[in-house]
Amino acid sequence: MAELTQNPRPAGLIARGIKTPWALCVAILLAVAVLDPGNLAEVIRFAGAALLHTGRYILFAVLLLSYLKATGAEVMVARAFEGREVRMIFLAAVFGGLAPFCSCEVIPFIAGLLALGAPLSAVMAFWLASPLIDPPTLLITAGALGWPFAIAKAVAAVALGLFGGFAIKALRGAGAFASPLRQAPRSSCCGCGAPKAEAPVWAFWRDPARRSQFRQEFVSNGLFLVKWLTLAYMLEALLVSYVPADLIATLVGGEGILPIATAALVGMPAYLNSYVAPPLLAGLMEQGMSAGAAMAFMVAGAVSSIPAMAAVWSLVKPQVFATYLALGITGAILSGIVFQMV
């Protein structure tokens, strides 16, 4: 998140403050206090209890992510793009779910790989899998929806990566996407850039600079997760309290492909980040949303997130971007169908 300038304008500060998760949480509580004061205590109790329940997952996720960043473990992802194309597709799909990249870090990383001749099939496998799951998201999903759902989402991420990778391989074999890049690679939007070509330092505590990075990552990621999950649980409390269960059940409940396809199509424009989505989906499932529809909603929403789409759009030509979205929505529906059957 960009820092405030030294002399910010008051209007800009107010506008920025309104958009923060903490400000939205306060707005929610004020709205409930004014419109339904009798339910205020229950909203606070619900959100607080849910946040405490997820606390151990937040702590472990933050420690893990800070460790990966401090050691430089993300450089291992580059190894997925070495060797034969089929091997690259498999490794890229797996590493896409493990890489602790932020949305802007992935742009120069992928741009560099494409510029150096990495096959689009492997890059697409990584791109489709990466938004869906990472270590913190896996733990947050498990805390909100249970380990079976979290593991199924991780499997769906890898499967979607493989599906997209081999689909692109087949299309390229037919002559499509001969020149996928839109323009030359550019620098990262956050200044972090692509991973350096050096081996991870697992005993990071021996290096003062890496210890400092661990502390910084721990604080920043901890605050990030806490603020977004607080907002998520407040929204879940409102959902459970005020949205009729029969309405949810009518739209995305029950068996069959239609509720799953509906959830996937709704999930793409109604993106919620990977930390907000699980608690809200837990509330929707309590209201009657089917498990398959929940999976389709989550997969489609992650693939169509603004950072994920911006990363693809900024680097590749429109036909590649359209293929990315088509693969994402198709994979979301198939993931929901399979999860519903299991």
Side-chain angles (χ1 to χ4, degrees):
M1 184 181 294
E3 295 181 357
L4 295 176
T5 59
Q6 292 183 350
N7 297 302
R9 296 180 180 179
L13 279 175
I14 293 173
R16 185 172 297 181
I18 292 174
K19 296 178 182 179
T20 65
W22 293 126
L24 291 174
C25 290
V26 172
I28 289 172
L29 293 177
L30 289 175
V32 174
V34 172
L35 301 175
D36 188 12
N39 197 38
L40 178 61
E42 176 58 23
V43 170
I44 295 174
R45 185 207 65 77
F46 184 99
L51 191 62
L52 287 175
H53 171 74
T54 316
R56 62 185 183 273
Y57 296 99
I58 298 175
L59 178 60
F60 188 82
V62 171
L63 287 171
L64 178 59
L65 188 57
S66 302
Y67 177 76
L68 292 174
K69 287 288 188 178
T71 59
E74 66 267 28
V75 302
M76 297 178 64
V77 177
R79 299 175 186 173
F81 298 89
E82 298 174 355
R84 298 191 177 188
E85 185 176 6
V86 171
R87 175 182 177 275
M88 280 189 274
I89 293 172
F90 275 99
L91 290 179
V94 173
F95 275 109
L98 299 175
F101 288 148
C102 69
S103 299
C104 54
E105 279 180 311
V106 78
I107 297 175
F109 178 77
I110 291 297
L113 289 171
L114 286 172
L116 291 173
L120 180 63
S121 56
V123 171
M124 186 63 73
F126 182 87
W127 244 335
L128 287 168
S130 184
L132 277 172
I133 201 75
D134 54 44
T137 302
L138 178 69
L139 294 169
I140 297 302
T141 304
L145 297 168
W147 278 106
F149 195 102
I151 293 172
K153 183 185 176 187
V155 172
V158 176
L160 180 57
L162 294 174
F163 169 64
F166 283 107
I168 293 294
K169 184 177 184 298
L171 290 172
R172 281 181 64 84
F177 311 133
S179 179
L181 272 178
R182 180 189 292 269
Q183 59 186 9
R186 60 187 183 182
S187 60
S188 168
C189 61
C190 63
C192 42
K196 297 182 177 64
E198 59 183 31
V201 180
W202 301 115
F204 74 90
W205 51 87
R206 298 173 182 172
D207 185 339
R210 292 181 181 273
R211 288 202 305 268
S212 176
Q213 184 181 15
F214 178 87
R215 289 192 297 268
Q216 292 173 2
E217 293 287 344
F218 182 85
V219 172
S220 62
N221 287 308
L223 290 175
F224 177 85
L225 288 177
V226 168
K227 72 181 180 182
W228 279 108
L229 285 171
T230 301
L231 174 61
Y233 287 126
M234 290 231 175
L235 292 174
E236 183 185 0
L238 297 182
L239 179 69
V240 172
S241 297
Y242 300 115
V243 177
D246 55 352
L247 175 62
I248 303 298
T250 300
L251 292 175
V252 288
E255 305 294 330
I257 297 177
L258 184 59
I260 294 173
T262 301
L265 293 173
V266 171
M268 292 195 77
Y271 169 73
L272 301 168
N273 74 37
S274 298
Y275 309 111
V276 175
L280 288 185
L281 284 174
L284 287 169
M285 291 176 72
E286 290 179 4
Q287 301 288 83
M289 186 181 205
S290 69
M295 181 63 71
F297 183 98
M298 184 173 286
V299 172
V303 170
S304 69
S305 72
I306 297 300
M309 288 197 296
V312 180
W313 179 260
S314 66
L315 294 178
V316 297
K317 293 180 178 178
Q319 58 267 35
V320 180
F321 177 78
T323 304
Y324 168 86
L325 290 182
L327 291 170
I329 190 66
T330 303
I333 295 173
L334 291 175
S335 298
I337 293 173
V338 172
F339 187 61
Q340 185 86 343
M341 293 172 61
V342 174

